Amino acid sequence: MTVDGAYFDAMYSSSDDPWGFRSRWYERRKRALSTAALTRERYGRAFEPGCAIGLLTGDLASRCDRVLAWEGSAEAASLAREESAGAGNVLVQRARIPAEWPEGPFDLVVLSELLYYFDDADLASVLGRTRGSLGPGGTVLAVHWRHPVPEHARSGDDAHRALAAVPGLQRVVEHVEEDFLLDLYQSSDAGGPVSVARAGGLV
């Protein structure tokens, strides 16, 4: 079953950073790799569901014209708003997918440490809505922990296999480590992905 919101409320009731997003080098490095994997220098409109306390949100704000960040936990959403208070291009809202979904289109959708919380039906809904809300040539960034977690509905590997099966997406970046997977997809409705070097006129 999809992990209930009470799980996240309990996590944030005991700590304002229960996963060590600020303190752990693992998390800081993963965020750096996540933004480095983005093949465009600049994106227009981005959507980040499950933004937690907003640290990746801040990194995305430096690469995007607008970032819409959603978080289901009231405490985490409040912390994310504080984190992004100085960024005029970030809007943090309390909302939970897939029951809710914002109106697109988006140039970038970021699914970071999120998909393994959903059961089969909800995961299918999230992935379908993600694909449906992409603008032409839109990008999906997915990053997920690979080790077993009892509270998760599925593994990170399983979540990435499901994403790989979504029609109309082409993988342009694949990063595999023992601890996490990072995949970047681009919608194929704009003639397919273009290499960074080719886009920059180097080849």
Side-chain angles (χ1 to χ4, degrees):
M1 295 181 61
T2 294
V3 176
D4 188 84
Y7 167 74
F8 303 99
D9 293 337
M11 294 293 289
Y12 283 104
S13 68
S14 60
S15 170
D16 62 1
D17 188 8
W19 285 277
F21 295 131
R22 298 183 191 280
S23 60
R24 291 178 176 151
W25 164 238
Y26 169 83
E27 293 291 347
R28 298 196 303 272
R29 173 178 175 269
K30 186 182 64 177
R31 286 196 300 275
L33 287 168
S34 296
T35 52
L38 296 174
T39 54
R40 297 186 201 171
E41 185 174 7
R42 194 80 190 167
Y43 291 82
R45 190 172 180 231
F47 175 46
E48 183 197 9
C51 70
I53 61 174
L55 298 189
L56 179 58
T57 311
D59 294 337
L60 294 171
S62 68
R63 299 281 299 277
C64 303
D65 295 337
R66 290 178 292 164
V67 178
L68 175 61
W70 277 13
E71 172 54 46
S73 161
E75 178 62 23
S78 177
L79 293 168
R81 289 190 193 97
E82 292 177 12
E83 183 69 28
S84 62
N89 62 335
V90 174
L91 175 62
V92 177
Q93 296 179 325
R94 186 187 178 195
R96 181 172 286 120
I97 64 170
E100 302 170 275
W101 197 270
E103 184 176 350
F106 296 102
D107 302 293
L108 173 65
V109 176
V110 176
L111 305 171
S112 180
E113 308 296 359
L114 178 72
L115 297 180
Y116 42 55
Y117 291 117
F118 297 110
D119 63 19
D120 290 349
D122 283 343
L123 178 63
S125 178
V126 169
L127 295 180
R129 288 183 169 212
T130 295
R131 177 65 187 92
S133 65
L134 290 178
T139 298
V140 179
L141 173 66
V143 186
H144 291 87
W145 177 253
R146 302 186 73 189
H147 300 288
V149 178
E151 293 82 6
H152 291 178
R154 67 185 64 248
S155 68
D157 286 51
D158 183 64
H160 279 241
R161 281 191 292 268
L163 177 59
V166 175
L169 294 178
Q170 294 180 291
R171 184 160 50 199
V172 294
V173 175
E174 181 181 20
H175 180 83
V176 180
E177 296 192 14
E178 179 182 354
D179 301 321
F180 70 92
L181 296 174
L182 184 156
D183 285 314
L184 190 78
Y185 287 86
Q186 185 174 318
S187 65
S188 56
D189 51 13
V194 177
S195 76
V196 176
R198 195 175 304 280
L202 300 178
V203 292

